[in-house]
Amino acid sequence: MTSNPPASSGGFFSQPKAVWAVAFAAVVSFMGLGLVDPILPAIAKDLDASPSQVELLFTSYFAFTGISMLVTSAVASRIGAKRTLLSGLVLIIAFSALAGASDTIGAIVGLRAGWGLGNALFIATALSVIIGSASGGVAGAVMLYEAALGLGISVGPLLGGELGAISWRGPFFGVAVLMTIALIATAVFLDRTPAPPARERISVLDPLRALRHRATRGSGIVAIFYNFGFFTLLAYTPFPLGLGIHQLGYVFCGWGVMLAVFAVFVAPRVSRRFGDVAGLAGALAGLAVLLVAMGALHASQTALIVCVIVAGTFLGVTNTLMTQVVMESAPVARPVASAAYSFVRFSGGAIAPFVAGKLGEHVSVASPFYLGAAMTAISIGVLWFYRGALVPVAEERSTAEPQPVGRAPMVVAVGGPTARQVSAMAVPVARARGGAVHVLHVVESDVVAGEGSVDLETAAEARELLDACIAELRESGAEVTGEVVHSYGTHADVADRILRRAAELSAGLIVLGPDAHYATIGSGVTARIAARAPSHVIVVNPGAGALGRPLGATGAVDAAALWKSGGR
């Protein structure tokens, strides 16, 4: 639930030019994940390089991206988001163009490292810039960023195949040209963003210090072994597939589409039904089995193609749930947790492509897949070992617990632009009941597939809204307390957080507004609370100016009778 203003009349597509410029750059940036897949065999042939040497294109890129994550947040907190963003774009343009002009595999490998630095600077700030500039609220901005991520991941291999069919240099020059367009547009349309105040600066050592905590360290170790399997599949598979550049582009485009769709749409449902840790373990198990099948069926081109595309489903779910676990369980600030996790997962996984190439050259074609499967299986064991630490950090209560005054307390759940109106309309209910009142304001944090999370309102905005609602309810003469509660990932989680807290407080009544009055949760939250609440639920409708129909386990009841009886 948020206090963001409603979307502008122009809707989702009515965005400032600066937002479209950064979103376009984000699409091109995310292309880098699979852009070079279709041209790996062509590079090996034209430059007389071995598969393991070509695999170093991934190793240098991911290793330097991971190491750079230690400094990107520190840089952004000192020079501001726009300068950090433009610096990343300039580096990507320079190093991708130089890589396209190079004639040795060693030069391209080294230049891909510089590309990784630019990419790290860009992705560290792109989301925050889009959120700060977008119209229609934070939720719409996050949706736009996720769309850019999905488009980039899926289109990257396709563009790599089309340009690579002309020359293996084509994808490198193509990225340079597209990023130059994005650079000019961003520089012209994006307003200057000042550096954050000194108190908000992040130290280069903060992500490393975060690894001292069991939860952050555990999720990092899981990521090391999981990414070994991930990067083995991504970087090594083009060689045993034996396809042309166009065909490789189509196959990995299918892989990217499945990854994006399952990361954005399926992973939240898996989380809701099975929980983050259990859902993550299942996705990792699926990936391990798939890698074993790829090793056993490597002689069948059709089987490998099917396996690559299906792998996108498991990787999409894993990326989102892994990020969600990291963000929920980390006992440090989210930017620090994200930097620590990205450092470990990219740096640890960067070795996999080179090792896979060496095994393919000197052991067997199938051996890299079997090793990737073994490493992924180990990640499941590590996940299970650390499962006790990989749980949401306990909420900090902003005020004292409500003290019972004659009857069970009433919980008022607020959010969105009508939060104060909902609180005001709950005043007669609180006055009639005569008991304590506890206000819950749930702040949603959207997990962006594999990239981190973002609160859909700032801490100051959440606190201000909560204080205003508490002030409204004190007009009833009741004892009023309140708290801000964080929710990650799914809309069902918003409802479950409210229900869980109400149960902890032994609430006798829950009052909330309808879904239509929240900026981001959409439909289903009110119905979920009404269906599962152990007490009566009243839904108030500020738009109608009157109390809506009370809902509960016993069906519809009369509102006046409900608050006079005090619920249960």
Side-chain angles (χ1 to χ4, degrees):
M1 301 178 187
T2 77
S3 55
N4 297 319
S8 64
S9 60
F12 174 77
F13 292 101
S14 180
Q15 299 290 350
K17 293 178 181 178
V19 172
W20 291 117
V22 178
F24 174 72
V27 171
V28 182
S29 174
F30 292 126
M31 286 180 183
L33 186 63
L35 185 77
V36 299
D37 266 308
I39 59 173
L40 291 178
I43 293 176
K45 179 180 178 181
D46 286 2
L47 298 183
D48 194 25
S50 66
S52 60
Q53 289 176 314
V54 175
E55 299 298 301
L56 289 174
L57 292 176
F58 284 97
T59 296
S60 62
Y61 177 79
F62 288 125
F64 223 78
T65 297
I67 295 171
S68 301
M69 286 295 179
L70 295 176
V71 302
T72 50
S73 296
V75 170
S77 68
R78 284 162 174 78
I79 69 174
K82 181 176 181 178
R83 290 179 179 175
T84 306
L85 194 70
L86 294 178
S87 298
L89 293 177
V90 168
L91 289 174
I92 293 173
I93 292 167
F95 285 108
S96 59
L98 289 171
S102 299
D103 293 318
T104 66
I105 190 65
I108 299 175
V109 168
L111 291 166
R112 279 278 285 180
W115 189 344
L117 170 60
N119 191 58
L121 289 169
F122 176 81
I123 64 176
T125 50
L127 178 57
S128 64
V129 169
I130 289 178
I131 287 173
S133 304
S135 63
V138 177
V142 172
M143 187 183 302
L144 182 62
Y145 185 82
E146 289 180 330
L149 185 151
L151 186 62
I153 290 176
S154 56
V155 171
L158 193 62
L159 182 65
E162 294 302 314
L163 295 178
I166 302 171
S167 168
W168 64 261
R169 303 177 191 273
F172 296 110
F173 289 132
V175 166
V177 171
L178 293 174
M179 276 302 194
T180 299
I181 297 172
L183 173 67
I184 295 172
T186 302
V188 172
F189 296 123
L190 181 63
D191 293 333
R192 180 179 178 271
T193 55
R199 66 178 180 275
E200 296 181 11
R201 290 179 180 175
I202 298 174
S203 167
V204 175
L205 297 178
D206 285 346
L208 294 176
R209 295 190 185 105
L211 295 174
R212 298 174 181 173
H213 299 285
R214 179 174 170 81
T216 309
R217 185 173 62 252
S219 59
I221 297 174
V222 172
I224 288 175
F225 289 105
Y226 149 63
N227 276 280
F228 198 102
F230 180 3
F231 294 149
T232 295
L233 185 147
L234 178 65
Y236 174 71
T237 309
F239 289 98
L241 271 173
L243 295 171
I245 292 177
H246 275 300
Q247 290 79 13
L248 282 173
Y250 298 146
V251 170
F252 279 94
C253 177
W255 165 84
V257 168
M258 299 304 290
L259 189 151
V261 168
F262 273 71
V264 175
F265 299 107
V266 178
R269 296 187 179 186
V270 173
S271 172
R272 183 167 62 248
R273 180 164 184 177
F274 301 105
D276 291 345
V277 172
L280 180 58
L284 289 171
L287 179 60
V289 171
L290 200 65
L291 285 166
V292 170
M294 293 175 75
L297 303 173
H298 70 274
S300 170
Q301 192 178 71
T302 301
L304 280 185
I305 291 173
V306 172
C307 287
V308 168
I309 295 174
V310 172
T313 65
F314 295 116
L315 293 171
V317 172
T318 301
N319 279 352
T320 296
L321 294 189
M322 191 73 240
T323 303
Q324 195 158 298
V325 166
V326 172
M327 295 299 112
E328 284 189 337
S329 63
V332 295
R334 276 184 288 280
V336 175
S338 181
Y341 169 65
S342 296
F343 161 67
V344 173
R345 70 176 175 132
F346 282 126
S347 300
I351 193 175
F354 179 73
V355 172
K358 283 293 185 184
L359 287 174
E361 292 168 15
H362 301 292
V363 180
S364 69
V365 174
S367 58
F369 295 119
Y370 292 137
L371 179 60
M375 291 295 190
T376 305
I378 291 174
S379 74
I380 301 173
V382 175
L383 176 68
W384 198 249
F385 179 78
Y386 280 96
R387 68 188 184 280
L390 300 179
V391 295
V393 176
E395 299 288 346
E396 294 184 7
R397 308 303 179 195
S398 57
T399 59
E401 296 284 308
Q403 299 299 316
V405 182
R407 61 177 71 251
M410 178 175 87
V411 166
V412 180
V414 298
T418 60
R420 291 188 63 175
Q421 292 96 308
V422 170
S423 300
M425 293 181 69
V427 168
V429 184
R431 187 180 292 125
R433 293 186 81 253
V437 178
H438 194 66
V439 183
L440 287 181
H441 176 36
V442 182
V443 177
E444 283 189 281
S445 295
D446 198 312
V447 174
V448 182
E451 298 301 317
S453 72
V454 58
D455 285 343
L456 300 189
E457 62 185 300
T458 67
E461 290 170 341
R463 183 71 240 186
E464 182 181 359
L465 178 63
L466 178 64
D467 289 343
C469 293
I470 289 175
E472 290 282 355
L473 280 157
R474 281 184 176 147
E475 294 295 322
S476 68
E479 176 190 355
V480 184
T481 56
E483 65 185 279
V484 174
V485 180
H486 287 273
S487 171
Y488 291 83
T490 68
H491 297 157
D493 190 47
V494 174
D496 291 343
R497 297 272 175 162
I498 295 172
L499 289 170
R500 187 180 307 121
R501 194 70 184 107
E504 292 172 354
L505 298 171
S506 299
L509 177 65
I510 300 175
V511 178
L512 65 158
D515 289 339
H517 291 275
Y518 299 129
T520 62
I521 46 179
S523 62
V525 174
T526 299
R528 188 179 180 90
I529 293 174
R532 302 189 178 199
S535 60
H536 288 298
V537 175
I538 293 180
V539 179
V540 299
N541 188 350
L547 282 168
R549 186 178 67 176
L551 300 171
T554 58
V557 295
D558 180 73
L562 176 59
W563 70 59
K564 287 178 181 177
S565 67
R568 60 183 174 86

